[in-house]
Amino acid sequence: MRVRLLLAAAAALTTTVLVACGSPGAQDDTPQDDEPADELTVLVSASPSATGLRELATEYTAETGVTIEFVEVPTAQLPTKIILAVQSGQQTFDLAQFDGFTMPQIAAASALLPLDDFLGEDDEYDYADFPEGLQEYAKQDGTTYGLPLSTEPVVQLYRTDLYQQLGLQPATTWDEVVGNADALSAAGHYGWASAYGPAVSAHYYNQMLYSSGGRLLDPESYEPQFDTDINRQVMERFLSLVEYTPESSRTGASADMINAFSQLQVGQLTAASGWYSTVADPSQSAVAETFGVADLPMESGGPYDSINVLNGWLLGISPSSPHQQAAWDFAAWALGKDNVKAFIDAGAPPPARTSTTTNDDYTTQLPYLTAVGTAAETGAPIERIPETAQIISVISQTINSMATGQLSLDEGMAKIQDDLTNILVQAGRYGG
Amino acid sequence: MSAAPPAGAVDVHRPGRADTTPPARRPRLVASLRALGYVSPIWVFVLAVGIVPTGYAVWMSLTEQTLTAPYPAFVGLDNYVQAVFTAQFAGALGVTLIFVLAGLITQFVVGYLLAVCLHQQLRGFRIARTILLIPMLLTPAVVGLTWNFMFNPDLGVVQAIQGVFGIHANWLADPTLARLLVVMVDSWMNVPFVMLLVAAGMTSLPEEPIEAAAIDGAGWWKTTRYVVLPMLRPVLVITLLVRCVDIARIFDHIFTTTQGGPGTATQSVTLEAYNSTFQFFQFGHGAAIALALALIMFPVYFLYVRLTKI
């Protein structure tokens, strides 16, 4: 009898707790009443952009008396922290740095405050100074969720000393990239470096695909495109460059690739422009004085426009922050026109305002800014759907399998097509 | 002869009383309630750290919980169909089993041999024991990152050593070597644990059977095989079960050394659950994968409980 009683009590308690746990409170979408702020908390990830923000924060505190507290989170955990903080109803941050690539997930979880009203009312921030492509980059389904903290389209980095020795020119097409890789390799150097690792390789394949007029998914129907000629040709070319790549990049991440370029005899690579400051820093790079920057190679002939893939950090505001106006004031001030130089001096890639990328002083200091300006005008992000992270993961793992000889090109392409179809059908985004 | 009512019993025949409790029940009830008061803290603890989280995980695995559907909808076994009964899960399970088998063999052979050496109490054994225990005290993520750098195919020390012998192998690009690397990292960290338990077991063994075996002419191997190992069996089995469960949950070393690669060659079930939950935010899938692993490991838990008589 006692056992039964105990069991019944335990069951009742468990059920109650489970029901309570299973019924999350409704997300309060109404704007919070603003309280006067004497401190703001900003979630950041270690990056030159975060360093730039930190340096500006000191000046902001001196001017306004508002203290800016920075909480550093590993890049991969940023979306999780932002989402869980807001969904749990615990106010742990007022502002957060996030990657445009993760915006679909964060916005779908209602973990970011729409900023369109603030933008409409703040003339000083001058949002019209940003190219339209970049304004689109900060939007999800037509709503702006972040202010551009950095603009990092893909640029080409090459070794000026090696190119001079061998009489090479920076490539303007992907065929020329392969040609340069051949010449560099014949001279005993690494002809190429791209990260073919299981977590990131899809990003580098995408650079080549989108700039060759291909897409991962059909923009209208979301049908995976890995059974098309253009995707196959690009994949074949992408994998053909593995033999010119240092071993550490064949299985590594972006940092391994940049490390290889900075420390080894690698002739060329393409990377997000944000890596420029790392390669140009003599304390981290042996090639700081001997590398140049050029536009991303482009190919025509694909079914879609050939474009540069836009990357970059955004700065958003928590919908549960009690200091939303104060958070906006800091963000708009820090990322305003007057502080561009402070970002550049801190080694951070600045947000690509038109007034920045056309400023001679700035482009002299950061030679890649001209290429950034072009890319910001014409570039676009990859597909912005919540399944993107899963799609990137599947493609990256499969590319890594092909790059390390576990799968043939045919097997790999078929696997990606099947896996992506399953993901999109399960999500109800594609009819199959 | 009439029995006197027990102390504290209530006279149910007294007029005006509606209490029908039998005479002997009330003290028992009071005693039971008192006992319940004593055990309730542990029940609350068990509920809080065991039953509720497990129940919540079961609930999550039966509902669709994603970022776009934060209000859970009951979907029955759909999450299991989509995330567990798949070739991908089977592959991850296979990888996990490889880690468990290879890890157990490595850690027990090396751990046992080290324990034997320690048991001999040769000169300097105390210093050796301290040094051997250091890996166990380190943070798994730091260990993983260190090994990853050591095995960097361009700049790592292992590459340099291999080069001296004319060997060229990229440990992170070859599926077999990458799995071996994960097993090595895990073993390096956990051999001291096995060594410690086995060495402790050895100190409690009686000397007589070992001396008798020696008098009978048994060599080291026969003594070990027929005398020492049977006597150590309880310690070995418990250690084996603990390590088995631990290796099945392997995550940090993979995450920091191979990231599941090359391809999915080192993608364990826990990494799969992590990706589903924290990378793709498919909480239902993640819960289903984690529970499937728990169910698969259930016989091991059962054995552990039986053997330790908890």
Side-chain angles (χ1 to χ4, degrees):
Chain A
M1 185 65 184
R2 270 183 299 170
V3 173
R4 278 188 202 161
L5 267 173
L6 277 173
L7 284 175
L13 186 56
T14 308
T15 310
T16 311
V17 174
L18 284 180
V19 169
C21 292
S23 310
Q27 181 73 42
D28 186 3
D29 287 334
T30 55
Q32 304 287 313
D33 289 337
D34 248 37
E35 296 169 13
D38 49 14
E39 183 177 302
L40 293 171
T41 305
V42 189
L43 281 190
V44 292
S45 170
S47 59
S49 299
T51 308
L53 270 185
R54 280 179 199 269
E55 291 189 7
L56 283 166
T58 316
E59 191 183 330
Y60 189 74
T61 304
E63 276 185 22
T64 63
V66 177
T67 310
I68 312 293
E69 182 76 23
F70 288 91
V71 177
E72 199 166 298
V73 176
T75 306
Q77 292 176 21
L78 263 176
T80 314
K81 295 274 183 195
I82 295 170
I83 290 167
L84 293 182
V86 173
Q87 289 203 335
S88 67
Q90 291 178 348
Q91 174 48 39
T92 54
F93 69 95
D94 300 291
L95 292 125
Q97 171 186 356
F98 64 97
D99 192 333
F101 160 69
T102 61
M103 185 154 62
Q105 292 174 317
I106 305 175
S110 305
L112 289 168
L113 184 73
L115 301 179
D116 297 292
D117 289 346
F118 287 112
L119 284 168
E121 291 167 8
D122 193 332
D123 293 336
E124 204 173 323
Y125 179 67
D126 192 8
Y127 201 40
D129 191 24
F130 287 96
E132 204 173 315
L134 209 50
Q135 292 187 15
E136 282 301 314
Y137 179 79
K139 287 179 182 171
Q140 179 68 33
D141 300 326
T143 303
T144 305
Y145 287 107
L147 297 185
L149 172 59
S150 73
T151 307
E152 306 179 38
V154 185
V155 293
Q156 185 183 173
L157 304 181
Y158 65 97
R159 285 283 296 277
T160 49
D161 54 340
L162 301 182
Y163 272 43
Q164 200 172 1
Q165 276 173 24
L166 301 171
L168 300 175
Q169 292 296 320
T172 55
T173 65
W174 287 104
D175 276 343
E176 288 177 16
V177 167
V178 177
N180 283 353
D182 251 338
L184 287 158
S185 178
H189 309 299
Y190 290 109
W192 175 251
S194 202
Y196 290 91
V200 295
S201 55
H203 292 294
Y204 295 92
Y205 167 75
N206 289 344
Q207 295 174 2
M208 197 182 271
L209 179 69
Y210 281 62
S211 59
S212 302
R215 295 290 185 273
L216 294 178
L217 311 175
D218 180 276
E220 301 296 324
S221 66
Y222 292 107
E223 180 186 1
Q225 299 289 292
F226 282 79
D227 55 357
T228 62
D229 289 343
I230 183 70
N231 285 49
R232 187 187 168 83
Q233 283 165 14
V234 171
M235 186 65 83
E236 204 164 4
R237 185 188 285 144
F238 185 59
L239 293 173
S240 76
L241 288 166
V242 171
E243 64 173 295
Y244 303 112
T245 300
E247 294 273 359
S248 53
S249 298
R250 294 183 191 184
T251 50
S254 304
D256 297 297
M257 174 189 91
I258 294 298
N259 200 26
F261 186 76
S262 302
Q263 306 299 333
L264 305 172
Q265 295 295 306
V266 176
Q268 56 174 346
L269 56 73
T270 57
S273 58
W275 287 108
Y276 177 90
S277 59
T278 307
V279 182
D281 179 359
S283 68
Q284 299 183 66
S285 166
V287 301
E289 304 295 329
T290 53
F291 80 99
V293 186
D295 283 348
L296 178 72
M298 291 276 177
E299 296 270 354
S300 56
Y304 304 100
D305 291 340
S306 298
I307 59 164
N308 196 326
V309 174
L310 281 183
N311 303 289
W313 294 110
L314 297 164
L315 190 62
I317 297 175
S318 165
S320 53
S321 165
H323 312 301
Q324 291 172 358
Q325 183 61 49
W328 168 264
D329 290 343
F330 171 67
W333 174 84
L335 304 176
K337 281 183 196 173
D338 295 344
N339 284 319
V340 168
K341 182 144 179 40
F343 269 93
I344 293 175
D345 289 345
R353 289 175 173 276
T354 307
S355 60
T356 303
T357 56
T358 55
N359 181 306
D360 289 343
D361 290 341
Y362 297 156
T363 50
T364 305
Q365 203 171 345
L366 291 180
Y368 71 84
L369 273 184
T370 313
V372 168
T374 313
E377 293 280 353
T378 58
I382 62 166
E383 283 79 358
R384 284 275 181 81
I385 51 176
E387 294 78 30
T388 302
Q390 201 174 356
I391 287 170
I392 292 293
S393 173
V394 163
I395 299 173
S396 295
Q397 285 174 346
T398 313
I399 288 177
N400 187 237
S401 292
M402 290 190 278
T404 53
Q406 297 175 67
L407 288 178
S408 68
L409 178 66
D410 287 339
E411 290 167 338
M413 294 301 278
K415 181 178 184 315
I416 295 175
Q417 181 72 12
D418 288 349
D419 288 352
L420 261 50
T421 303
N422 281 340
I423 291 168
L424 293 161
V425 168
Q426 273 185 23
R429 205 166 291 284
Y430 169 57
Chain B
M1 188 177 146
S2 66
V10 177
D11 182 359
V12 295
H13 302 294
R14 189 181 293 172
R17 293 292 299 267
D19 191 347
T20 55
T21 308
R25 296 296 294 274
R26 178 152 289 187
R28 268 195 230 154
L29 185 64
V30 170
S32 298
L33 285 173
R34 189 177 296 139
L36 190 62
Y38 290 131
V39 298
S40 57
I42 194 66
W43 269 103
V44 170
F45 182 75
V46 169
L47 268 173
V49 304
I51 295 173
V52 170
T54 308
Y56 188 49
V58 172
W59 167 247
M60 278 177 78
S61 77
L62 299 174
T63 56
E64 186 188 2
Q65 294 201 39
T66 63
L67 293 178
T68 46
Y71 301 103
F74 184 77
V75 292
L77 296 175
D78 276 5
N79 288 326
Y80 290 88
V81 173
Q82 291 173 3
V84 176
F85 300 115
T86 62
Q88 198 174 335
F89 179 85
L93 188 61
V95 168
T96 306
L97 286 178
I98 289 172
F99 289 150
V100 169
L101 289 175
L104 286 180
I105 292 168
T106 310
Q107 290 166 31
F108 271 78
V109 170
V110 179
Y112 181 83
L113 292 176
L114 286 173
V116 169
C117 293
L118 281 186
H119 189 62
Q120 302 297 319
Q121 301 200 352
L122 303 172
R123 178 190 285 267
F125 87 97
R126 285 180 204 279
I127 296 171
R129 186 176 57 193
T130 308
I131 293 172
L132 285 168
L133 288 178
I134 289 174
M136 208 170 75
L137 308 175
L138 299 176
T139 311
V142 172
V143 170
L145 288 171
T146 308
W147 278 70
N148 179 268
F149 192 66
M150 281 165 52
F151 278 78
N152 181 302
D154 290 317
L155 304 165
V157 65
V158 173
Q159 188 64 30
I161 294 168
Q162 285 181 164
V164 171
F165 296 100
I167 301 167
H168 176 78
N170 183 348
W171 286 67
L172 301 170
D174 182 287
T176 309
L177 291 178
R179 286 172 187 156
L180 185 58
L181 174 60
V182 171
V183 171
M184 281 165 59
V185 178
D186 189 59
S187 298
W188 184 80
M189 250 197 110
N190 291 296
V191 156
F193 173 76
V194 177
M195 176 194 77
L196 205 63
L197 291 195
V198 174
M202 280 178 173
T203 55
S204 64
L205 294 184
E207 289 295 323
E208 293 81 2
I210 298 168
E211 287 169 6
I215 290 164
D216 287 345
W220 179 83
W221 170 243
K222 283 194 171 172
T223 308
T224 301
R225 167 76 182 81
Y226 296 106
V227 182
V228 179
L229 286 181
M231 288 196 293
L232 273 179
R233 198 172 148 204
V235 174
L236 289 176
V237 171
I238 297 299
T239 312
L240 186 126
L241 292 178
V242 170
R243 287 303 308 139
C244 181
V245 172
D246 227 19
I247 302 175
R249 293 183 294 130
I250 188 167
F251 173 77
D252 343 41
H253 296 145
I254 301 173
F255 192 71
T256 47
T257 53
T258 65
Q259 295 186 323
T264 53
T266 56
Q267 178 131 323
S268 66
V269 175
T270 45
L271 192 61
E272 185 107 353
Y274 169 82
N275 285 337
S276 287
T277 309
F278 296 113
Q279 298 294 309
F280 314 146
F281 296 103
Q282 293 174 326
F283 306 116
H285 284 194
I289 292 169
L291 280 171
L293 179 65
L295 281 176
I296 291 165
M297 293 305 295
F298 189 75
V300 180
Y301 300 134
F302 180 73
L303 255 178
Y304 180 81
V305 170
R306 280 289 301 270
L307 290 170
T308 53
K309 292 190 173 61
I310 290 173

